[in-house]
Amino acid sequence: KPTNHVLYGEDIAILAGDALLSTSFEHVAANTPKSVPAERVVEVLRRLGTAVGAYGLAGGQVMDLMCENKEGVTLSDLEWIHMHKTAALLKVSVTAGAILAGANAEDIRACEIYAEKIGLAFQIADDILDVTATSEELGKTAGKDENTNKTTYVKLLGLEKSKSEAFRIVEEAKAAIAKYGDRALPLQALADFIVARKN
């Protein structure tokens, strides 16, 4: 199915994104049970703002755009981009529930480490799929990264080393929450799915 900017134009797609982003704040404020202390709700809202702001998604996207068709982009640059995009969004998603439930700082940090790792692994897997899957499997144009000269993990590390790196990072993610035993099984399974997915 074509994306919003193809169907409705870039201007409407941007406005739709703005509306969806605003709705995330509204959702947290309106739907968090009143029994949850206000300072926890405010902390989640602060983290959500950081995740999408200049030090999160927006900043990461700016850096991503600046690195397109640019020579000399390093692995460190690429990691910075994805830590501020995919990983930042996953970090607030994973930690929000812990914060609202009253988790301590150590448990919240374990959630952050897990989320950052699966965020990086997700992006590496995405880069791998861009060169190994078909457009039909992906539901989007395969090979797009190479065609636009985008810096990817596959471009910097090669296919096999990228696969190894994705699996290594997933193991680090799982280790960060291993102490929770069976209670962490859904998150462990999610981490495994990220590198096993076909689209």
Side-chain angles (χ1 to χ4, degrees):
K1 182 178 178 183
T3 58
N4 274 355
H5 77 277
V6 172
L7 283 175
Y8 306 111
E10 196 171 294
D11 51 354
I12 298 299
I14 289 170
L15 289 170
D18 291 344
L20 287 170
L21 180 59
S22 300
T23 302
S24 65
F25 291 92
E26 177 187 6
H27 182 80
V28 171
N31 295 294
T32 302
K34 302 296 180 225
S35 58
V36 176
E39 62 269 13
R40 293 183 194 168
V41 178
V42 170
E43 176 61 11
V44 168
L45 291 169
R46 183 193 68 75
R47 285 171 176 255
L48 187 55
T50 300
V52 298
Y55 297 100
L57 178 63
Q61 185 61 35
V62 167
M63 179 74 156
D64 199 2
L65 291 169
M66 290 174 63
C67 288
E68 281 186 9
N69 288 309
K70 181 180 174 186
E71 294 301 320
V73 178
T74 66
L75 195 58
S76 178
D77 294 330
L78 194 57
E79 185 174 306
W80 191 96
I81 290 166
H82 298 308
M83 285 294 288
H84 290 81
K85 289 174 60 178
T86 313
L89 293 177
L90 288 170
K91 187 161 77 170
V92 72
S93 299
V94 172
T95 59
I99 292 164
L100 293 175
N104 63 38
E106 181 183 338
D107 289 334
I108 292 168
R109 184 63 192 135
C111 289
E112 289 175 335
I113 293 167
Y114 165 83
E116 289 170 348
K117 299 293 183 182
I118 65 167
L120 286 177
F122 182 95
Q123 199 55 57
I124 296 170
D126 222 41
D127 291 352
I128 291 166
L129 287 170
D130 190 68
V131 298
T132 61
T134 65
S135 296
E136 291 74 30
E137 289 170 320
L138 290 177
K140 62 181 183 179
T141 307
K144 187 176 175 186
D145 291 341
E146 188 176 354
N147 293 340
T148 59
N149 196 26
K150 187 170 185 175
T151 302
T152 66
Y153 285 91
V154 174
K155 183 176 180 180
L156 294 178
L157 298 177
L159 183 59
E160 293 309 313
K161 191 162 182 195
S162 293
K163 288 179 182 178
S164 298
E165 184 70 358
F167 282 108
R168 183 189 67 76
I169 292 172
V170 160
E171 289 306 312
E172 289 179 355
K174 291 163 62 176
I177 57 171
K179 64 183 177 180
Y180 304 114
D182 288 350
R183 294 180 300 155
L185 284 177
L187 293 177
Q188 301 279 12
L190 178 63
D192 287 332
F193 171 76
I194 281 171
V195 289
R197 66 195 170 94
K198 302 300 179 193
N199 61 14

